[in-house]
Amino acid sequence: MTALTTKSEQKAAAATDPDDIPLYEARRQIYPQSVHGRFRTIKWIVLAVTLGIYYFLPFVRWDRGPDAPGQAVLIDFTSSRFYFFFLEIWPQEFYYVAGLLILAALILFLMNAVAGRVWCGYMCPQTVWTDLFMAVERFIEGDRRERIRADAAPWTMDKFARKTAKHSIWLLIAWWTGGAWVLYFADAPTLVKDLATLQAPTVAYISIGILTFTTYTLAGHMREQVCTYMCPWPRIQAALTDEYALNVTYAYDRGEPRGSLKKAEAAREKGEPAGDCVDCGQCVAVCPTGVDIRQGMQLPCIQCGLCIDACNTVMDKIGRPRELIAYDSEANLEARLAHKSFTQRIIRPRTILYAVLICLVGGLMLTSLLGRSTEGLAAIHDRNPLFVRLSDGSVRNAYTVRLINKLLEERTFILTADGVPGASLEVVGDNADGLTIGPDQTREVRVLVTTRDKLAPQASLPITFRIRDKASGLTAAVNDHFIGP
């Protein structure tokens, strides 16, 4: 049952202090072994769902009406819009994006409080694409033993052909990854046609090239180096976790003293202590980062649970109870060592706080989305001159006013100004009682506000501009100042 190991893996497993990790070390080749079980199945499902969404979502259509983009998810830099199914986010509504980032961070914190680095083990893009690349590698070159032997053997035509096929498929996946990314920034079917006929913008080809290179490098070659040295989350996560978080844990109270199956059975017959761990090394062999979980929690461990599947398989074969390695908390392990009862505390002040914050931020965003207006108004006062005194003694201020129509239909607005006694409003080149704005567009107009009333010296009066939709009666307003001499 002893797993085939490389010298570098034997050296790493013999380390006495698993937490003594240097800032950087040369990458040692890791040959993860295939494994079957509950957590491996979950990872396959997550991989299929997430990659399916990423690669095919740009082709999902959504009818927004005439003269509007028909792509369900689109980041339209040309029109400065972000479309997400029925939502349309304007540049001035970027706070929704900020809110989504805050919400994502809080969800990540909650996941960490409940189950440690579960994000890293199942949903992180680096993990998902690395899993895909390793599946291709295993399909072409064979499982762990075959790859170790092939890499140690001299080059042959078969070895060259397999390596070439593997890297070619890796590059194809990486290219598809970069191509799918740019499809979120333009109409997908049109851009695919332009890319194929070499008529796409240069920036599209550059973006695809960069993402092809990074995907191929990170998922195909750097792999666990990204998780251990490049990504900041393991270090942040270590500071946020507590003793009640569920992490992949080796039950050393049950597994030690470890030894071969025969030695363990002999020890039990003599009444001597014997652990359930038969020191087969399968937990290390299947680990994508080469961690020996029996040495305790370590920074490179991404909590993927594959070692649990491997250990459960071995326990089934030797007739011992499962979950020698399992998702468990440090508090539970300490309670078992002290022969005390323990109840896992998923719901505790930390998780309640994160859940409340998630509900609060999500509720505020939802309320804002449901109540947001379909029209907008912005005004900028002329800086030079601040005012003009006319020949009849009246005072005039000039403004640049931008009207916003967020609906996919043409609308007509009435523009008025309040707050300045005796003031009259004039729109240069148009009529303030009928300003027409096209669907999903903005319009900038030049506005002159004049008053004949006597003003206090160096007066600065608040002025409110308002627009009202002639058809629906919906209004929007913006405040500014009217400056006097």
Side-chain angles (χ1 to χ4, degrees), residues 167-422:
H167 287 279
S168 297
I169 296 177
W170 280 2
L171 284 170
L172 184 62
I173 295 172
W175 169 79
W176 192 11
T177 301
W181 174 255
V182 301
L183 297 182
Y184 285 92
F185 297 87
D187 183 67
T190 304
L191 184 55
V192 168
K193 179 181 177 182
D194 291 343
L195 288 168
T197 57
L198 302 181
Q199 296 178 355
T202 303
V203 67
Y205 294 104
I206 294 174
S207 299
I208 292 174
I210 293 173
L211 285 169
T212 298
F213 172 76
T214 54
T215 304
Y216 172 76
T217 302
L218 298 181
H221 296 280
M222 298 188 69
R223 294 185 178 177
E224 75 287 343
Q225 296 286 86
V226 176
C227 305
T228 305
Y229 298 104
M230 294 178 62
C231 180
W233 177 239
R235 291 152 182 83
I236 298 173
Q237 179 269 342
L240 291 174
T241 193
D242 60 15
E243 67 273 19
Y244 297 104
L246 295 173
N247 291 288
V248 175
T249 306
Y250 168 67
Y252 55 84
D253 57 314
R254 172 187 152 193
E256 301 297 325
R258 71 184 78 158
S260 68
L261 181 60
K262 291 182 179 180
K263 289 182 179 179
E265 289 177 349
R268 291 190 185 98
E269 290 176 357
K270 296 178 181 179
E272 297 176 355
D276 284 348
C277 179
V278 295
D279 206 14
C280 63
Q282 288 296 306
C283 56
V284 182
V286 302
C287 180
T289 61
V291 167
D292 186 347
I293 195 62
R294 296 171 298 178
Q295 295 182 13
M297 291 181 60
Q298 299 158 63
L299 188 66
C301 177
I302 60 173
Q303 305 288 319
C304 63
L306 297 184
C307 55
I308 299 177
D309 287 337
C311 187
N312 284 342
T313 300
V314 173
M315 292 295 105
D316 290 343
K317 290 180 178 179
I318 66 175
R320 304 300 297 173
R322 284 184 155 216
E323 298 192 351
L324 176 60
I325 302 175
Y327 279 99
D328 201 356
S329 66
E330 183 180 348
N332 187 30
L333 183 59
E334 292 178 353
R336 289 204 310 269
L337 291 173
H339 303 288
K340 297 179 180 179
S341 60
F342 177 82
T343 302
Q344 185 61 45
R345 296 173 55 191
I346 299 295
I347 300 175
R348 55 189 190 277
R350 183 188 296 256
T351 56
I352 293 174
L353 174 62
Y354 291 147
V356 169
L357 289 175
I358 289 171
C359 293
L360 180 62
V361 174
L364 288 175
M365 289 182 62
L366 181 61
T367 302
S368 178
L369 280 170
L370 294 176
R372 70 176 185 159
S373 64
T374 56
E375 58 284 320
L377 189 63
I380 300 177
H381 194 290
D382 277 9
R383 294 186 177 183
N384 189 22
L386 291 175
F387 65 89
V388 174
R389 183 182 289 279
L390 304 180
S391 59
D392 60 357
S394 58
V395 178
R396 171 180 292 171
N397 282 203
Y399 303 84
T400 299
V401 176
R402 180 178 293 274
L403 295 84
I404 303 171
N405 174 22
K406 299 179 183 179
L407 293 183
L408 297 174
E409 60 186 39
E410 185 177 89
R411 302 167 75 183
T412 301
F413 293 94
I414 299 173
L415 176 63
T416 59
D418 303 323
V420 179

Side-chain angles (χ1 to χ4, degrees), residues 442-462:
T442 66
R443 182 181 175 187
E444 197 172 87
V445 296
R446 183 81 171 157
V447 176
L448 305 176
V449 179
T450 306
T451 181
R452 293 179 174 83
D453 285 14
K454 186 176 181 180
L455 302 176
Q458 299 181 346
S460 178
L461 304 177

Side-chain angles (χ1 to χ4, degrees), residues 42-78:
I42 293 173
K43 283 173 67 65
W44 285 132
I45 294 173
V46 172
L47 182 148
V49 171
T50 53
L51 291 185
I53 292 173
Y54 174 77
Y55 287 125
F56 298 109
L57 185 58
F59 296 96
V60 176
R61 303 290 94 186
W62 189 267
D63 185 12
R64 297 186 177 89
D67 302 321
Q71 188 163 310
V73 179
L74 177 66
I75 302 172
D76 190 351
F77 282 134
T78 304

